[in-house]
Amino acid sequence: MRDLFGLTQFLLAVLIFVPLERLFAARPQKIFRRGLLTDMAFLFINAGLVLAGVIAIMTAAILVNQSVLPAAVTQTIGDLPYLVQVPVVILIADLGVYWTHRILHVVPAMWQIHSVHHAVEELDWLAAIHQHPLDVMFMKAGALFPLYALGFSTEAIGTYLLVYYWQAWLVHANVRLNYGPLRHVLVSPEFHHWHHSSETAARDKNFAGMFSFYDVLFGSAYLPKGQDPKAFGVDHPMPSGYLALLAYPFVAWTAKRKRDDPSEVQPMSKGGEPARPRQSAPLS
Ligand SMILES: [Zn+2]
Ligand SMILES: [Zn+2]
């Protein structure tokens, strides 16, 4: 189980996505692109940090399960057959991902965390791991807290995590896959690539991880026919090294506090201007 999301699965992902990106490339792009070493640091160091957060989320959710929710409710849910639990778990978890992801975009302090993920300019499958650990923890809280609190089985939640793991690689992959009419139901690579687009019209759109119909339902879907996103990234400077990216939200929050504090003397910028959150679309 330990290696389920570890090295073996990652090597399997390399074997799948490297050739897949050669065969069905949406854009011409090198395998050994910029930022590859940083992504490896995200892969191997983030896991430990995130695990601590996930354990805290699970503990809090199990406490709610045992002390707040009526036993009859959690018992009924826990007794549902595995094949019924899995689709329900995926639907609930993705709704959690949708709203936590949207909050990460529209709340300026949260955007400083999430902009680490959007800093990737050469989008490919590895962008899935280019995420600040606080970002991963917050989204995992949105997905997993309700599941553990409601009492779904560990097997059903484990299946969701496995599906989400592979879906995350796929939607970031530089591949062109035609989902046909299913593109309005399931999140495709094209759908998530638009989420990463730096074009104004595509900003703060396409928040779902698995089901694009959540974006259709909540008015945030953006999938123009016959067009491809032209550029990715954010409109403010971002560092590129792992440690600098890890420190980035804290640096940005401190800089904002100083800017907002009238007693602080504002020093002249020497090229290290802290980032301002980008314009976010209002919640609709
Ligand atoms: Zn995002
Ligand atoms: Zn992404």
Side-chain angles (χ1 to χ4, degrees), residues 2 5-6 37-55 113-114 116-117 120 126-138 140 165 169 241-247 249-250:
R2 163 96 178 83
F5 303 103
L37 275 178
T38 305
D39 286 345
M40 290 302 103
F42 272 105
L43 178 71
F44 292 109
I45 304 172
N46 260 14
L49 299 171
V50 169
L51 187 64
V54 169
I55 290 170
I113 299 171
H114 189 56
V116 170
H117 181 53
V120 177
L126 275 171
I129 49 170
H130 197 282
Q131 245 179 319
H132 197 283
L134 291 175
D135 185 348
V136 185
M137 282 180 213
F138 186 62
K140 285 274 177 281
Y165 177 88
W169 294 129
Y242 177 71
L243 290 176
L245 284 165
L246 219 54
F250 303 98

Side-chain angles (χ1 to χ4, degrees), residues 40-195:
M40 290 302 103
F42 272 105
L43 178 71
F44 292 109
I45 304 172
N46 260 14
L49 299 171
V50 169
L51 187 64
V54 169
I55 290 170
I57 295 159
M58 280 166 59
T59 308
I62 291 167
L63 277 174
V64 169
N65 175 285
Q66 290 173 353
S67 56
V68 179
L69 290 170
V73 173
T74 54
Q75 188 72 47
T76 309
I77 291 171
D79 287 345
L80 288 171
Y82 168 80
L83 289 178
V84 175
Q85 285 199 39
V86 168
V88 179
V89 157
I90 296 177
L91 278 167
I92 294 174
D94 207 46
L95 188 60
V97 165
Y98 177 92
W99 283 109
T100 43
H101 191 181
R102 194 159 175 169
I103 289 168
L104 284 159
H105 273 253
V106 299
V107 176
M110 301 300 275
W111 169 249
Q112 308 290 15
I113 299 171
H114 189 56
S115 59
V116 170
H117 181 53
H118 281 264
V120 177
E121 291 179 352
E122 291 175 82
L123 202 65
D124 65 7
W125 67 287
L126 275 171
I129 49 170
H130 197 282
Q131 245 179 319
H132 197 283
L134 291 175
D135 185 348
V136 185
M137 282 180 213
F138 186 62
M139 285 178 73
K140 285 274 177 281
L144 298 180
F145 186 91
L147 302 179
Y148 281 105
L150 288 166
F152 286 100
S153 71
T154 315
E155 290 75 23
I157 297 172
T159 305
Y160 158 70
L161 288 171
L162 188 63
V163 173
Y164 188 81
Y165 177 88
W166 288 98
Q167 168 74 352
W169 294 129
L170 177 65
V171 297
H172 289 93
N174 175 25
V175 290
R176 192 185 298 280
L177 297 177
N178 188 358
Y179 277 40
L182 277 180
R183 66 188 185 280
H184 300 299
V185 181
L186 298 173
V187 172
S188 61
E190 182 191 8
F191 188 86
H192 194 67
H193 289 190
W194 276 113
H195 175 72

Side-chain angles (χ1 to χ4, degrees), residues 112 249-264 266 274:
Q112 308 290 15
F250 303 98
V251 172
W253 292 333
T254 309
K256 182 178 182 322
R257 213 172 35 243
K258 282 188 177 165
R259 275 202 308 273
D260 293 348
D261 184 353
S263 67
E264 285 277 346
Q266 299 293 314

